[in-house]
Amino acid sequence: MDVYIDDGIEEPDAEAANDAQLESSMKLLNKQVDNIKNFLFKSQVALQLTKAQRNKDQKIQISNKDRVDRWSMINCVFMMLMAAIQVHLLKQMFKEDKKAKRQAKI
Protein backbone atom coordinates (compact mmCIF):
# COMPACT_ATOMS: atom_id res chain seq x y z
CA MET A 1 0.00 0.00 0.00
CA ASP A 2 1.37 3.34 -1.12
CA VAL A 3 0.57 6.61 0.63
CA TYR A 4 0.86 9.89 -1.21
CA ILE A 5 1.20 13.09 0.72
CA ASP A 6 0.26 16.28 -1.03
CA ASP A 7 2.33 19.13 0.28
CA GLY A 8 0.73 21.70 -2.06
CA ILE A 9 3.71 21.94 -4.34
CA GLU A 10 2.96 21.18 -7.95
CA GLU A 11 5.44 20.33 -10.55
CA PRO A 12 6.51 23.25 -12.75
CA ASP A 13 5.36 21.51 -15.93
CA ALA A 14 1.88 20.87 -14.52
CA GLU A 15 1.65 24.45 -13.27
CA ALA A 16 2.70 25.82 -16.67
CA ALA A 17 0.18 23.55 -18.40
CA ASN A 18 -2.59 24.75 -16.06
CA ASP A 19 -1.61 28.39 -16.69
CA ALA A 20 -1.62 27.83 -20.45
CA GLN A 21 -5.00 26.12 -20.28
CA LEU A 22 -6.37 28.88 -18.06
CA GLU A 23 -5.05 31.55 -20.43
CA SER A 24 -6.51 29.84 -23.48
CA SER A 25 -9.83 29.51 -21.66
CA MET A 26 -9.72 33.21 -20.75
CA LYS A 27 -8.96 34.16 -24.38
CA LEU A 28 -11.87 32.04 -25.56
CA LEU A 29 -14.19 33.62 -22.97
CA ASN A 30 -13.00 37.12 -23.89
CA LYS A 31 -13.62 36.36 -27.55
CA GLN A 32 -17.13 35.11 -26.79
CA VAL A 33 -17.85 38.16 -24.62
CA ASP A 34 -16.65 40.43 -27.44
CA ASN A 35 -18.90 38.58 -29.89
CA ILE A 36 -21.85 39.07 -27.55
CA LYS A 37 -21.00 42.78 -27.17
CA ASN A 38 -20.84 43.16 -30.96
CA PHE A 39 -24.16 41.38 -31.36
CA LEU A 40 -25.78 43.58 -28.71
CA PHE A 41 -24.37 46.71 -30.35
CA LYS A 42 -25.70 45.66 -33.74
CA SER A 43 -29.07 44.84 -32.18
CA GLN A 44 -29.17 48.24 -30.49
CA VAL A 45 -28.36 50.03 -33.76
CA ALA A 46 -31.05 48.04 -35.59
CA LEU A 47 -33.56 48.85 -32.84
CA GLN A 48 -32.74 52.57 -33.03
CA LEU A 49 -33.16 52.55 -36.81
CA THR A 50 -36.46 50.72 -36.48
CA LYS A 51 -37.70 53.24 -33.91
CA ALA A 52 -36.63 56.15 -36.12
CA GLN A 53 -38.44 54.64 -39.11
CA ARG A 54 -41.56 54.00 -37.02
CA ASN A 55 -41.58 57.59 -35.75
CA LYS A 56 -41.14 58.89 -39.30
CA ASP A 57 -44.01 56.71 -40.55
CA GLN A 58 -46.20 57.81 -37.64
CA LYS A 59 -45.60 61.49 -38.42
CA ILE A 60 -46.45 60.86 -42.09
CA GLN A 61 -49.67 59.08 -41.08
CA ILE A 62 -50.71 61.95 -38.83
CA SER A 63 -49.93 64.45 -41.57
CA ASN A 64 -51.95 62.45 -44.11
CA LYS A 65 -54.87 62.10 -41.68
CA ASP A 66 -54.92 65.85 -41.07
CA ARG A 67 -54.85 66.55 -44.82
CA VAL A 68 -57.65 64.07 -45.53
CA ASP A 69 -59.76 65.48 -42.69
CA ARG A 70 -59.27 69.05 -43.91
CA TRP A 71 -60.16 68.31 -47.54
CA SER A 72 -63.11 66.13 -46.51
CA MET A 73 -64.50 69.01 -44.47
CA ILE A 74 -63.98 71.43 -47.38
CA ASN A 75 -65.76 69.03 -49.76
CA CYS A 76 -68.68 68.55 -47.34
CA VAL A 77 -69.13 72.31 -46.95
CA PHE A 78 -68.93 72.76 -50.73
CA MET A 79 -71.56 70.05 -51.35
CA MET A 80 -73.91 71.57 -48.74
CA LEU A 81 -73.50 74.99 -50.35
CA MET A 82 -74.21 73.56 -53.81
CA ALA A 83 -77.28 71.72 -52.47
CA ALA A 84 -78.60 74.96 -50.94
CA ILE A 85 -78.02 76.84 -54.20
CA GLN A 86 -79.80 74.13 -56.22
CA VAL A 87 -82.79 74.11 -53.87
CA HIS A 88 -83.00 77.90 -54.11
CA LEU A 89 -82.80 77.81 -57.92
CA LEU A 90 -85.47 75.10 -58.16
CA LYS A 91 -87.78 77.13 -55.91
CA GLN A 92 -87.19 80.17 -58.08
CA MET A 93 -88.02 78.21 -61.24
CA PHE A 94 -91.41 76.99 -59.94
CA LYS A 95 -92.37 80.10 -58.05
CA GLU A 96 -95.54 81.63 -59.42
CA ASP A 97 -95.40 85.29 -59.99
CA LYS A 98 -98.36 87.29 -58.51
CA LYS A 99 -98.43 89.64 -61.48
CA ALA A 100 -98.59 86.74 -63.90
CA LYS A 101 -101.56 85.29 -61.97
CA ARG A 102 -103.52 88.53 -62.13
CA GLN A 103 -102.98 88.90 -65.84
CA ALA A 104 -103.99 85.31 -66.44
CA LYS A 105 -107.30 85.82 -64.58
CA ILE A 106 -108.29 88.79 -66.67
Side-chain angles (χ1 to χ4, degrees):
M1 186 162 152
D2 294 328
V3 177
Y4 295 102
I5 300 175
D6 186 17
D7 54 359
I9 301 173
E10 295 183 14
E11 296 179 23
D13 292 337
E15 191 175 316
N18 284 342
D19 287 344
Q21 185 180 6
L22 181 63
E23 192 167 321
S24 67
S25 295
M26 288 300 293
K27 285 181 183 179
L28 181 63
L29 284 174
N30 284 336
K31 186 177 179 181
Q32 290 175 346
V33 168
D34 288 340
N35 285 341
I36 291 171
K37 284 181 183 178
N38 288 335
F39 177 74
L40 288 175
F41 178 74
K42 288 177 183 178
S43 297
Q44 188 178 22
V45 168
L47 182 63
Q48 288 173 349
L49 290 174
T50 303
K51 283 182 180 180
Q53 185 67 35
R54 187 186 68 209
N55 289 338
K56 178 183 170 188
D57 289 345
Q58 189 175 16
K59 287 179 183 179
I60 290 172
Q61 282 180 336
I62 291 170
S63 163
N64 287 345
K65 179 192 165 291
D66 292 343
R67 187 178 319 121
V68 167
D69 288 347
R70 184 179 333 110
W71 282 108
S72 294
M73 185 60 70
I74 290 170
N75 283 331
C76 285
V77 168
F78 181 75
M79 285 191 298
M80 296 282 220
L81 182 64
M82 288 296 115
I85 291 172
Q86 287 175 359
V87 167
H88 178 70
L89 289 176
L90 283 172
K91 281 184 178 182
Q92 289 294 326
M93 286 175 59
F94 293 103
K95 184 177 177 183
E96 291 185 21
D97 209 10
K98 290 182 180 181
K99 291 180 184 178
K101 273 186 171 182
R102 283 187 216 161
Q103 289 178 358
K105 286 183 180 181
I106 298 181

